[in-house]
Amino acid sequence: MSVEYDPATLEFERRARELLERSAEALPARTRSRLTRARYAALEGAAPRATAVGRGSWRRWLPAGAVSAAMLAVLLFVGHPHVPAVPQGSVAGGEDLELLADRDALALAQDQMGEGQAAPDQDADYDFYSWAVSAAQDEGNGPVGS
Amino acid sequence: MNAFVTLPADTASFLPLRNIDLQDSTQHDARSLERFLAGIERKAFRIAQIGLRHEDDALDAVQDAMLRLVRSYASRPPEEWKPLFYRILENCVRDMQRRRTVRGRVMSWLPWPAGEEGEEARDPLEQAPDPAPTPAAQVQTDETLRALDAVVAALPARQRQAFLLRNLEGMDVAATARAMGCSEGSVKTHYFRALQTLRAQLGAFWS
């Protein structure tokens, strides 16, 4: 496709180019500096973005935050969130925890257990009783050391 | 390739390149890449600024485009860099425009005012950059420049892209077609329509 422009259009084109090129060359020093930093950051690859360039970028997250807050509000006030019933096992687990935390309670619970499940402390007591019985029998035969 | 390349004495002046890992590229390629980016960054910024009408967003878009070019296309022949860069930049600009549109929709549901970034353009002339803080305001034709920026920004995306790449960046039709991912005929059509629209809307400023 070949397009022939009339002189007026060509003049318009020339003036527009001149204006735009001048505006690009006459950028403020601050903008030129930020462009230089942006170029360095790009060339350094993984370098963090220039803070000045990213200024105000927090606003990008504002809508997402608003939507999240709205959804949370809907869940809290409209959705009647379901509170699951605590299973019995969990209650028992809680009692276990209390027993473990309380040494006396643990000993009491162990006393309630069967003989076959005696705790090490109880084994020590039986040893003592066995020794006491044997000592008493020995006393029956005569004083010890006499 | 000789791994022991003798570098020129002024190598130290390229400070940003000391720690650059450009994968397969050599240090010479890295310097070429830096020179390329330095050579196009101002026009790239103006193109992004016109498309986004926001300085910070334009800087972000340019930096993103630079980063993607360096990461993905540094090993390509240097003559391909410019079309590739401007294609990436246009994608960055469109991504930001889409994000801005979504942001505007979300913010419109909020009870408080959207703020400067949440406002969508209603009148391109009202959205033209304030001339006061820019050196461009010092030139005699700053009013025309502001009007040109505003009308170019209001063009359809493809016409805007064709106009800025051809007119501001000075790319030929073939390179513009590569940058836009379309045929050369499409570039000519977009550019012609852009010129017609601009002339029609800027007649009062141009006389």
Side-chain angles (χ1 to χ4, degrees):
Chain A
M1 178 182 166
S2 176
V3 179
E4 295 294 332
Y5 297 120
D6 59 87
T9 302
L10 291 174
E11 176 61 14
F12 177 89
E13 191 180 20
R14 186 194 65 76
R15 286 192 62 184
R17 177 178 296 118
E18 187 181 305
L19 269 175
L20 290 170
E21 286 181 347
R22 193 184 302 173
S23 72
E25 290 305 313
L27 288 176
R30 176 173 163 272
T31 303
R32 293 201 304 272
S33 171
R34 293 172 69 185
L35 278 171
T36 302
R37 278 184 288 149
R39 173 173 20 110
Y40 286 177
L43 286 166
E44 286 165 2
R49 301 170 68 86
T51 53
V53 171
R55 186 170 61 87
S57 56
W58 62 271
R59 291 190 182 94
R60 292 179 184 160
W61 296 99
L62 194 57
V67 169
S68 301
M71 290 176 67
L72 188 62
V74 168
L75 282 174
L76 286 176
F77 296 108
V78 180
H80 299 294
H82 173 68
V83 179
V86 179
Q88 293 300 317
S90 297
V91 175
E95 289 177 352
D96 290 344
L97 203 61
E98 286 181 10
L99 287 174
L100 288 172
D102 187 346
R103 188 178 179 85
D104 294 336
L106 179 63
L108 182 63
Q110 287 168 340
D111 287 341
Q112 294 170 351
M113 296 169 69
E115 290 182 357
Q117 298 173 340
D121 285 349
Q122 279 184 304
D123 288 339
D125 289 344
Y126 286 136
D127 291 342
F128 169 77
Y129 294 141
S130 301
W131 172 83
V133 168
S134 60
Q137 289 173 348
D138 290 341
E139 278 185 14
N141 296 333
V144 177
S146 61
Chain B
M1 188 181 77
N2 184 6
F4 300 97
V5 179
T6 303
L7 298 175
D10 62 345
T11 301
S13 65
F14 295 96
L15 291 176
L17 301 182
R18 281 178 174 173
N19 299 319
I20 294 174
D21 177 14
L22 290 177
Q23 297 170 350
D24 298 334
S25 300
T26 63
Q27 283 289 312
H28 176 73
D29 292 333
R31 288 204 304 276
S32 300
L33 194 56
E34 188 193 9
R35 278 195 292 268
F36 164 75
L37 293 176
I40 63 163
E41 66 189 14
R42 295 187 187 187
K43 290 181 177 177
F45 168 75
R46 284 287 290 135
I47 289 173
Q49 187 187 33
I50 291 172
L52 293 166
R53 283 167 278 176
H54 193 281
E55 181 173 333
D56 286 338
D57 285 352
L59 282 163
D60 280 346
V62 170
Q63 182 172 334
D64 281 348
M66 287 176 168
L67 191 60
R68 292 183 196 183
L69 183 83
V70 172
R71 280 183 177 168
S72 303
Y73 302 104
S75 59
R76 300 287 280 269
E79 59 269 19
E80 292 183 13
W81 286 344
K82 188 181 278 189
L84 282 169
F85 175 80
Y86 279 107
R87 192 162 187 173
I88 296 168
L89 181 64
E90 181 65 17
N91 288 337
C92 292
V93 167
R94 291 188 186 186
D95 284 347
M96 286 193 170
Q97 288 171 336
R98 275 194 287 268
R99 283 203 295 267
R100 188 185 288 175
T101 303
V102 172
R103 196 187 319 154
R105 286 176 185 162
V106 172
M107 298 296 271
S108 69
W109 285 87
L110 300 178
W112 56 83
E116 59 169 348
E117 290 193 0
E119 294 173 356
E120 287 299 308
R122 291 183 175 83
D123 182 352
L125 290 174
E126 287 180 1
Q127 298 300 317
D130 184 354
T134 66
Q138 299 166 13
V139 302
Q140 194 173 6
T141 54
D142 63 333
E143 192 71 20
T144 308
L145 177 62
R146 284 195 302 138
L148 178 63
D149 273 11
V151 177
V152 171
L155 287 172
R158 303 294 273 172
Q159 289 184 32
R160 171 177 50 78
Q161 194 181 5
F163 177 78
L164 290 173
L165 291 180
R166 295 274 289 119
N167 196 275
L168 172 57
E169 183 50 64
M171 292 168 68
D172 60 23
V173 174
T176 306
R178 284 199 297 277
M180 293 177 62
C182 64
S183 69
E184 295 184 14
S186 295
V187 170
K188 292 175 183 175
T189 302
H190 290 311
Y191 185 65
F192 177 76
R193 289 177 179 165
L195 279 179
Q196 297 301 309
T197 304
L198 295 176
R199 278 197 67 196
Q201 296 197 19
L202 290 171
F205 292 92
W206 230 253
S207 57

